[in-house]
Amino acid sequence: MAPIFKLTDMHVRFDTPDGEVHAVCGTSMHVDPGETVAVVGESGSGKSQIMMAAMGLLSSNGRAQGSARFRNQELLGLSPRKLNQLRGKKITMIFQEPMTSLDPLYRIGDQLIEPMIEHEGLSARRARARALELLKLVMIPEPERKLRAYPHELSGGQRQRVMIAMALSGDPDLLIADEPTTALDVTIQAEILALLAQLQKKLGMAILFITHDLTIVEAFADRVYVMRKGAVMEEGPVTRIFADPQHAYTKMLLAAEPHGRKDPVPSAPVLLQADGVRVTFTRSKGLFGHDELCAVDGLDIQLREGQTIGIVGESGSGKSTFGRALLQMLPSEGTVVFQGARISGLDRSAMRKHRKALQMVFQDPYGSLSPRMTVGEIITEGLLVHQPELSGRDREARAAEALKAVGLEANMRNRFPHEFSGGQRQRIAIARAVILRPKVVVLDEPTSALDRSVQAQVIELLRDLQREFGLSYIFISHDLAVVRALSDTVIVMKEGKVVEQGPVDRIFDAPQSAYTRELIEAAFRLNTVLDRAAARA
Amino acid sequence: MLSYALKRLLGAVPTLFFIITAAFFLMRVAPGGPFDQERTLEPSVMANLNATFGLDRPLHEQYLMYLGNLARGDMGPSFVYRDFKVHELLGSGLPVSIQLGLSALLLAFIVGATLGCVAALRQNSWVDYLVISVATFGITVPNFVVAPVLALIFAVWLDLLPAGGWQNWSPEHMLLPVVTLALPQVAVVARLIRGAMIEALRSDHVRTARAYGLPTRRIVIYHALRAASLPAVTYLGPAAAALLTGSIVVEQIFGIPGIGRYFVQGALNRDYTLVMGTVIIVAVFVVLFNLLVDLAYAALDPRVCYD
């Protein structure tokens, strides 16, 4: 069977102010009709850019070389007119960001019918009828109403369903899905993948799935290409690659899945206790009215010395809000007691003396470090506030020590954040917290923006620091695998409430609530979810 | 949306009241008066004049009197153009200034947006550099240079257009002053649209549109320009208020009976009522155009919603 899509010796180069970047270096791959192929790689592996190049979607400073054939047609160098007859009809794409890949200014219906009118010359009326059919096909609730809705009125999962509907409108032979579920919660991810699998079975198109997530590859694809730094490291059937990886990089990727458990702590004194923490936000509505949104609804925790409490939940569950409320970073009700002293209700200045012991690390290693300060200034800033008696030389020494503790070099303190990678930045953020020798660190999705291999290193680092300094963690994450690897006890949150809590093994091995079971299945047993969906199709 | 507009208009009343009050008292704090001239008047004549215009009364009485008259639509007599009431002066000049200003505004938006789009689509090519240079030129060269040069070329040398004078809605009389007024605005709009367009063309939803094989023209106009016009709309609100209230330079050079000249003349002559009149006009326009900008935002971007 001849492949329908064949990339041969593809090169992609970008002209940047710092010189030419060779993003894809002589890569070849192919997709057979009806096949599901995954391209897996970490950020910067060139896995997206190679597809952009084939589809003529490179940014203006990019150049593609080599050959990209769809059936027997060469795509590189094809006239825009000819290319546009294929794009959006025979080859369609879904992108990572369901928030931004639809035009925020136009109604869903208008965007869905645009390619149909363009490619098939349908009348607006016929196209609209077909759009409605497609929305039903992707199982969006209230499809008639959704046609008239704007993208911002839909949830992330619904928007991605709309993108899939758009991708199916031209009855494509090849669907290129570029990290289509990365921005979604795990349960929504499972739903979207199940939908794609069902639709593929029904319609028979080939799917080229670009992802960084090996769990998805294993559950979803027939064949996989492992990419790194613009080149294919290894290629083969998914079952073979997972059972018997040949290349060292593939082995490393597979090993980077979070594993191990936290050593249990012997019964230690309670450090931080919270009772009935409630956070509400008021939104104005109408002329004088307002309504109240309860983000966190009566949470209790008890954090012991050296212990880690993992808080898992999907977006909007209130887990981050709870973390902030614990540290009195936003107004909340309820009582929080730290080392026997009540800290809830303290004002800013009264709270300051506790801040040294209560630190926080945030998700975004790019946004949470000031770009105009050196790393040394960033990590020693807290010392200026909490230990003003230290001399400049002492602070330097502490900075060097903290950097060493997080696995960076002491002489890096004179450099600026933009000179570091995402993983290194997160280490800097952790150094900023540990330099104060805190008791409790609230970690708000500290590994979520990182590649798996980098994530594994940060997890190792967090474990080492906990052992070395006797830290207690509140570990907030949507990533169940990471939470399982790091926590003593786990709290599962949904819509501001606790769904379930208990020791980590009990939660993961014998979940009591349906919601926890659903989360765990979506995260660890994607295969089962997809098989069930395929059986339904 | 309608209730929002009404709410905003109601909210403008205290704003205007504050501006009027501040302007009234600030005017009086400034030294000099409307009847101070190079040749000092007889004290008795001065006293007479002051009595006629009510300037001999305590300031707060004058203030209340002014407000009372204003509420009846009477802006009082001009102290310098003594045969005219201020609202008569402004009433005859304002339509002329609005004609000029609106035309200039329209021209600026259309030409500026087109130039900005072209520059953005050909980013870093000679077209882009040309547009940017022209734009920089348009911003830096003042209108008192542009106006006489235009008049010299098109009226004196080529003899195509009149060098000055005014007839309502007469294109040949309007062309030169409108171009003079629009030029710097064209430049600003072109730069704003260019910047926003470059960003819009890089956005994810434009990539989606390209990936779905839509023709470039449709992508540019339908998907990119609408989003990219928002910053220009923001700028054009206050700019419109300035354009529509006339320009002394353009009116003087082309001999146009607009209201721009009253700003300077009124202030120089301490013509209290005329200055108050112009202040009120500008304030009303600023409030109005800011409201229009906000409404335009809601019309352009469905995510903006006012309740």
Side-chain angles (χ1 to χ4, degrees), chain A residues 52 56-57 84 87-88 92-93 95 97 100-106 114 118-119 150 152 163 166-167 287, chain B residues 7 123 203-205 207-208 210-216 218 221-224 226-227 300-303 307:
Chain A
M52 294 296 162
L57 294 174
N84 278 347
R87 295 198 292 202
T92 55
M93 297 182 85
F95 301 98
E97 292 297 330
T100 53
S101 46
L102 291 166
D103 192 331
L105 306 184
Y106 295 95
E114 248 189 308
E118 191 56 42
H119 292 300
Y150 287 100
H152 71 272
M163 277 305 298
M166 197 154 152
L287 202 49
Chain B
K7 220 159 71 177
Q123 197 195 347
S203 67
D204 287 349
H205 66 262
R207 180 186 61 187
T208 306
R210 288 171 61 205
Y212 279 81
L214 302 182
T216 308
R218 184 170 174 86
I221 296 173
Y222 199 70
H223 289 285
R226 181 165 163 185
L300 283 169
D301 188 343
R303 285 166 300 179
D307 307 301

Side-chain angles (χ1 to χ4, degrees), chain A residues 190-201:
Chain A
E191 283 173 22
I192 294 288
L193 291 173
L195 174 70
L196 277 174
Q198 275 177 22
L199 290 170
Q200 186 184 24
K201 204 169 172 194

